[in-house]
Amino acid sequence: MLDKNGIAKRIAKEVQDGYYVNLGIGIPTLVANYVRDDIEVEFQSENGVLGMGPFPFEGEEDADIINAGKQTITTLPGASFFDSAMSFSMIRGQHVDLTILGAMEVAENGDIANWKIPGKMVKGMGGAMDLVASAENIIVAMMHTNRAGASKLLKTCSLPLTGVGCVKKIVTNMAVIEVTDKGFKLLERAPGVSVEDIKNATDGYLIVEGEIKEMEF
Amino acid sequence: MISKKVANVTEALQGVKDNMTFMFGGFGLSGIPENAIAELVKLNVKGLTCISNNAGVDDFGLGLLLQQKQINKMISSYVGENDEFERQMLSGELDVELIPQGTLAERCRAAQAGFPAIYTPAGYGTEVAEGKETREFDGKMYVLEHAFKADFAFIKAWKGDAAGNLIFKGTARNFNPNMCGAAKINVAEVEELVSVGELDPNQIHIPGIFVQRIFKGAHYEKRIEQRTVRQKN
């Protein structure tokens, strides 16, 4: 079973040379730590920066330079700042190559829910609805089950949707799964996790074909 | 040169009344019009509709207006860091319209640019699209979203001049340029108000035509919401 860093490390393998990447809040943010250093990648944050760098050193924080998680950041050479309309032109206009975001639920048809629990929690969708409605390449980073132990990979989402039929791939603490026309297709399993474990933790239809290899990092 | 300069925040906010609709620039607490918000707290105008990506935190930003129950309705994309907001929303005291962040930006920009509405794919198939006109273009579904109508837009820029020209800094730019010119009266507050001619015309982010009033903010706290650092070595 992977921890959050393990999930991020596995997703980092999906990031290719020349990609512009948007990272969501939470586990996705950790992906930046594991991207190979022999490839060129630029991270976009939807509040208005392309070419995000690491966190600043203590004493060098700038209230005017933050990421979408409102964390203080730095920029790398070649970075740019822009307004919100232009930022979402990059996203809606499909100029961003890869979107990695978290989810509360994903359905076997690629529907995603991650912004609201009616009557309990209302955070809002932020940029997530724009991202999932437009991106060609969306990877969800999440734990396979919720805190109560219930599966987050469902036949249909029970929570209000963020987008319909948009998720292509899911990386959890247990598995790498592709969303296909026929349902969730198991691609890889996490170290120490059996196919049976994954089946038991997946509520939606899980396709298992041939031998399922363990993840490599 | 047509001067947009006013003496202070009091003069800049003349005409502000109960039940008006305001736009506020800013993302989180970055690039928010701190001086305009402080003045609105002082004026204690009520029944406001506020268009802002976020709702501040409990004791800063728009959270200050929420504390005094000045806001009737919020139109935002993300309100996760404000307990009082969540309490007022879940109890029904506060009317809230949550919309996608890119849609928020574009509804501002549409108002600024003279478009009555725009089509966006964001929110299609979700509750955001309920009751709205949808249309297919090239096999993909889009939602019709209308331009905002606002009485005042409160903008925060880094530098400006009396002509109303504005330059923003870093990610404090965010919604400010999209809202500036989207309301009937657009009020810009700046950290530095420089002499006309000092700003390079090539570097202006928002030309003064979009600004009706500009003033130098008396004080900026520029609070950091999530101070994150790395260790040296």
Side-chain angles (χ1 to χ4, degrees):
Chain A
M1 204 96 79
L2 303 175
D3 61 7
K4 289 177 177 181
N5 281 293
I7 296 172
K9 203 169 170 185
R10 175 59 192 82
I11 291 177
K13 278 183 67 185
E14 307 285 322
V15 179
Q16 293 176 23
D17 191 28
Y19 266 15
Y20 292 103
V21 182
N22 179 286
L23 300 177
I25 296 162
I27 302 172
T29 306
L30 302 172
V31 172
N33 300 335
Y34 299 103
V35 173
R36 281 169 29 206
D37 53 15
D38 60 336
I39 61 174
E40 295 297 331
V41 173
E42 282 195 28
F43 292 105
Q44 196 249 20
S45 197
E46 63 269 23
N47 59 313
V49 54
L50 191 61
M52 233 191 315
F55 295 141
F57 291 120
E58 198 158 358
E60 294 174 7
E61 313 93 285
D62 184 341
D64 292 330
I65 303 179
I66 62 169
N67 64 15
K70 285 105 179 174
Q71 297 170 309
T72 44
I73 54 156
T74 58
T75 54
L76 297 173
S80 55
F81 295 116
F82 35 83
D83 65 64
S84 300
M86 187 176 284
S87 180
F88 284 90
S89 297
M90 294 176 191
I91 290 165
R92 253 187 271 97
Q94 299 186 338
H95 307 283
V96 173
D97 300 291
L98 175 63
T99 292
I100 303 166
L101 77 173
M104 296 174 192
E105 295 178 345
V106 178
E108 61 189 36
N109 67 348
D111 288 357
I112 177 172
N114 73 353
W115 70 283
K116 183 181 185 181
I117 303 173
K120 278 190 192 163
M121 185 228 54
V122 187
K123 287 187 186 300
M125 64 291 284
M129 282 194 182
D130 305 273
L131 283 157
V132 302
S134 310
E136 289 280 319
N137 197 359
I138 299 173
I139 301 177
V140 164
M142 66 177 190
M143 303 308 267
H144 211 97
T145 54
N146 64 22
R147 285 198 187 100
S151 180
K152 294 171 75 171
L153 290 89
L154 308 171
K155 286 185 174 58
T156 56
C157 292
S158 64
L159 297 170
L161 295 181
T162 307
V164 291
C166 50
V167 176
K168 303 290 188 292
K169 200 175 252 186
I170 307 161
V171 179
T172 74
N173 53 330
M174 302 182 81
V176 178
I177 285 167
E178 187 187 349
V179 180
T180 70
D181 294 346
K182 292 177 184 124
F184 296 124
K185 187 177 177 192
L186 183 58
L187 298 182
E188 298 170 25
R189 56 191 174 78
V193 176
S194 70
V195 171
E196 208 52 36
D197 293 336
I198 298 165
K199 270 187 187 165
N200 290 336
T202 307
D203 192 57
Y205 181 59
L206 187 72
I207 302 161
V208 183
E209 282 174 3
E211 194 204 341
I212 305 299
K213 287 188 186 147
E214 197 173 282
M215 286 180 203
E216 286 175 14
F217 297 92
Chain B
M1 194 272 299
I2 303 168
S3 179
K4 310 293 173 71
K5 190 175 161 185
V6 295
N8 50 38
V9 67
T10 311
E11 204 176 310
L13 266 66
Q14 284 211 350
V16 161
K17 292 194 191 91
D18 287 352
N19 306 314
M20 279 187 159
T21 298
F22 298 152
M23 289 175 167
F24 296 88
F27 180 91
L29 301 178
S30 187
I32 59 172
E34 293 184 25
N35 290 272
I37 292 170
E39 185 68 12
L40 288 169
V41 169
K42 215 193 282 178
L43 292 169
N44 202 17
V45 281
K46 305 259 188 195
L48 304 175
T49 295
C50 295
I51 301 164
S52 167
N53 188 60
N54 311 89
V57 294
D58 283 321
D59 61 346
F60 199 55
L62 292 185
L64 299 171
L65 301 186
L66 284 165
Q67 269 181 16
Q68 292 201 133
K69 309 248 169 80
Q70 291 175 256
I71 304 176
N72 189 36
K73 181 178 181 179
M74 271 306 305
I75 302 174
S76 302
S77 89
Y78 189 85
V79 294
E81 280 88 16
N82 191 320
D83 293 338
E84 176 61 13
F85 182 99
E86 195 159 1
R87 192 197 64 72
Q88 288 187 23
M89 178 174 178
L90 292 173
S91 72
E93 292 165 56
L94 183 67
D95 186 9
V96 178
E97 185 181 343
L98 286 168
I99 59 172
Q101 194 176 334
T103 301
L104 179 63
E106 215 56 34
R107 288 177 70 184
C108 294
R109 211 192 70 83
Q112 179 196 55
F115 295 117
I118 51 109
Y119 280 105
T120 175
Y124 178 75
T126 75
E127 63 180 55
V128 164
E130 278 170 20
K132 290 176 186 164
E133 189 182 322
T134 57
R135 185 167 162 182
E136 185 182 327
F137 294 92
D138 297 325
K140 186 167 171 161
M141 294 305 295
Y142 295 81
V143 185
L144 187 72
E145 295 281 4
H146 291 262
F148 285 125
K149 291 185 174 74
D151 298 293
F152 279 82
F154 298 112
I155 306 305
K156 156 73 188 4
W158 178 36
K159 290 181 181 178
D161 62 18
N165 296 310
L166 302 176
I167 293 177
F168 302 91
K169 182 167 165 264
T171 52
R173 192 184 310 192
N174 55 64
F175 290 85
N176 284 298
N178 308 130
M179 290 176 169
C180 195
K184 285 180 199 150
I185 298 175
N186 302 277
V187 177
E189 58 178 83
V190 294
E191 288 176 55
E192 292 177 43
L193 191 60
V194 304
S195 309
V196 169
E198 205 174 302
L199 299 177
D200 177 353
N202 286 302
Q203 305 299 326
I204 304 290
H205 292 136
I206 285 289
I209 192 169
F210 293 113
V211 175
Q212 279 71 47
R213 302 171 190 172
I214 188 167
F215 70 100
K216 184 183 182 304
H219 172 73
Y220 285 100
E221 179 179 335
K222 294 177 76 167
R223 193 185 292 188
I224 291 174
E225 208 165 328
Q226 303 282 341
R227 187 179 298 274
T228 43
V229 294
R230 74 188 137 133
Q231 300 308 316
K232 277 188 177 149
N233 74 38

